[in-house]
Coordinates of all heavy atoms in Angstrom, one line a residue:
T172 N 99.7 94.0 104.2 CA 98.5 94.4 103.4 C 98.4 95.9 103.4 O 98.2 96.6 102.4 CB 97.2 93.8 103.9 OG1 97.4 92.4 103.9 CG2 96.0 94.2 103.1
T173 N 98.7 96.5 104.6 CA 98.6 98.0 104.7 C 99.7 98.6 103.9 O 99.5 99.6 103.2 CB 98.7 98.4 106.2 OG1 97.6 97.8 106.9 CG2 98.7 99.9 106.4
K174 N 100.9 98.0 104.0 CA 102.1 98.6 103.2 C 101.8 98.5 101.7 O 102.0 99.4 101.0 CB 103.4 97.8 103.6 CG 104.6 98.3 102.8 CD 105.8 97.5 103.2 CE 107.0 98.0 102.4 NZ 108.2 97.3 102.6
A175 N 101.3 97.3 101.3 CA 101.0 97.1 99.9 C 100.0 98.2 99.4 O 100.1 98.8 98.3 CB 100.5 95.7 99.6
A176 N 98.9 98.4 100.2 CA 97.9 99.4 99.8 C 98.5 100.8 99.7 O 98.2 101.5 98.8 CB 96.8 99.4 100.9
R177 N 99.4 101.1 100.6 CA 100.1 102.5 100.6 C 101.0 102.6 99.3 O 101.0 103.6 98.7 CB 100.9 102.7 101.8 CG 100.1 103.0 103.0 CD 100.9 103.2 104.2 NE 100.1 103.4 105.4 CZ 100.4 103.1 106.6 NH1 101.7 102.7 106.9 NH2 99.6 103.3 107.6
V178 N 101.7 101.5 99.0 CA 102.6 101.5 97.8 C 101.7 101.7 96.6 O 102.0 102.5 95.7 CB 103.4 100.2 97.8 CG1 104.1 100.1 96.4 CG2 104.5 100.3 98.9
I179 N 100.7 100.9 96.4 CA 99.8 101.0 95.2 C 99.2 102.4 95.1 O 99.1 103.0 94.0 CB 98.8 99.9 95.3 CG1 99.5 98.5 95.1 CG2 97.7 100.1 94.2 CD1 98.6 97.3 95.3
E180 N 98.7 102.9 96.2 CA 98.0 104.2 96.2 C 99.0 105.3 95.8 O 98.7 106.1 95.0 CB 97.5 104.5 97.6 CG 96.7 105.8 97.7 CD 96.1 106.1 99.0 OE1 95.7 105.1 99.7 OE2 96.0 107.3 99.4
A181 N 100.2 105.2 96.3 CA 101.3 106.2 96.0 C 101.7 106.1 94.5 O 101.8 107.1 93.8 CB 102.5 106.1 96.9
L182 N 101.8 104.9 94.0 CA 102.1 104.7 92.6 C 101.0 105.2 91.7 O 101.3 105.9 90.8 CB 102.4 103.2 92.3 CG 103.7 102.6 92.7 CD1 103.7 101.1 92.5 CD2 104.9 103.3 92.0
F183 N 99.8 104.9 92.1 CA 98.7 105.4 91.3 C 98.6 106.9 91.2 O 98.5 107.5 90.2 CB 97.4 104.8 91.9 CG 96.2 105.2 91.0 CD1 95.8 104.5 89.9 CD2 95.3 106.3 91.4 CE1 94.7 104.9 89.1 CE2 94.2 106.6 90.7 CZ 93.9 105.9 89.5
E184 N 98.7 107.6 92.4 CA 98.7 109.0 92.4 C 99.8 109.6 91.7 O 99.6 110.6 90.9 CB 98.7 109.5 93.9 CG 97.5 109.2 94.7 CD 97.6 109.6 96.1 OE1 98.6 110.1 96.6 OE2 96.6 109.3 96.9
T185 N 101.0 109.1 91.8 CA 102.2 109.6 91.1 C 102.0 109.5 89.6 O 102.3 110.4 88.8 CB 103.5 108.9 91.6 OG1 103.6 109.1 93.0 CG2 104.7 109.4 90.9
L186 N 101.6 108.3 89.1 CA 101.5 108.0 87.7 C 100.3 108.8 87.1 O 100.4 109.2 85.9 CB 101.4 106.5 87.4 CG 102.7 105.7 87.8 CD1 102.4 104.2 87.7 CD2 103.9 106.2 87.0
M187 N 99.3 109.0 87.9 CA 98.1 109.8 87.4 C 98.5 111.2 87.2 O 98.1 111.9 86.3 CB 97.0 109.7 88.3 CG 96.1 108.4 88.2 SD 95.2 108.3 86.6 CE 94.0 109.6 86.8
S188 N 99.4 111.7 88.1 CA 99.7 113.1 88.0 C 100.8 113.4 87.0 O 100.9 114.5 86.5 CB 100.2 113.6 89.4 OG 101.4 113.0 89.7
D189 N 101.6 112.4 86.6 CA 102.6 112.6 85.5 C 102.7 111.3 84.7 O 103.5 110.4 85.0 CB 103.9 112.9 86.2 CG 105.0 113.3 85.2 OD1 104.8 113.3 84.0 OD2 106.1 113.6 85.7
T190 N 102.0 111.3 83.6 CA 102.0 110.1 82.7 C 103.3 109.9 82.0 O 103.6 108.9 81.4 CB 100.8 110.1 81.7 OG1 100.9 111.3 80.9 CG2 99.5 110.0 82.4
Q191 N 104.2 111.0 82.0 CA 105.5 110.9 81.4 C 106.4 109.8 82.2 O 107.4 109.4 81.6 CB 106.2 112.2 81.4 CG 105.6 113.2 80.5 CD 105.6 112.8 79.1 OE1 106.6 112.4 78.5 NE2 104.4 112.9 78.4
L192 N 106.0 109.4 83.3 CA 106.7 108.4 84.1 C 106.3 107.0 83.7 O 107.0 106.1 84.0 CB 106.4 108.6 85.6 CG 106.8 109.9 86.2 CD1 106.3 110.0 87.7 CD2 108.3 110.0 86.2
L193 N 105.3 106.9 82.9 CA 104.9 105.6 82.4 C 105.8 105.1 81.2 O 106.3 106.0 80.4 CB 103.4 105.6 81.9 CG 102.4 105.7 82.9 CD1 101.0 106.1 82.3 CD2 102.2 104.4 83.7
P194 N 105.9 103.8 81.0 CA 106.6 103.4 79.8 C 105.9 103.9 78.5 O 104.7 104.1 78.6 CB 106.6 101.8 79.9 CG 106.3 101.6 81.3 CD 105.5 102.7 81.8
P195 N 106.6 104.1 77.4 CA 106.0 104.7 76.2 C 104.6 104.1 75.8 O 103.7 104.8 75.5 CB 107.0 104.5 75.1 CG 108.3 104.4 75.9 CD 108.0 103.7 77.2
Q196 N 104.5 102.8 75.8 CA 103.2 102.2 75.3 C 102.1 102.5 76.2 O 101.0 102.7 75.8 CB 103.4 100.7 75.0 CG 103.6 99.8 76.2 CD 105.0 99.6 76.7 OE1 105.9 100.4 76.4 NE2 105.3 98.5 77.4
F197 N 102.4 102.5 77.5 CA 101.3 102.8 78.5 C 101.0 104.3 78.5 O 99.8 104.7 78.6 CB 101.7 102.4 79.9 CG 101.6 100.9 80.1 CD1 102.6 100.1 79.9 CD2 100.3 100.3 80.4 CE1 102.5 98.7 80.0 CE2 100.2 99.0 80.6 CZ 101.3 98.1 80.4
R198 N 102.0 105.2 78.3 CA 101.8 106.6 78.2 C 100.9 106.9 77.0 O 99.9 107.7 77.1 CB 103.1 107.3 78.1 CG 103.0 108.8 78.0 CD 104.3 109.6 78.0 NE 105.1 109.1 76.9 CZ 106.3 108.5 77.1 NH1 106.8 108.3 78.3 NH2 107.1 108.2 76.1
E199 N 101.2 106.3 75.9 CA 100.4 106.5 74.7 C 99.0 106.0 74.9 O 98.0 106.7 74.5 CB 101.0 105.8 73.5 CG 102.3 106.5 73.1 CD 103.2 105.6 72.1 OE1 102.7 104.5 71.7 OE2 104.3 105.9 71.9
A200 N 98.8 104.9 75.5 CA 97.5 104.3 75.8 C 96.7 105.3 76.7 O 95.5 105.5 76.6 CB 97.6 102.9 76.3
A201 N 97.4 105.8 77.7 CA 96.8 106.7 78.7 C 96.3 107.9 78.0 O 95.2 108.4 78.3 CB 97.7 107.0 79.9

């Protein structure tokens, strides 16, 4: 559970800081 929370948090922070990492449809929606 702790590992999963860390992975999700890191993914969220990374994708929030650079939406170019998202697939095109999600980047456009963001």
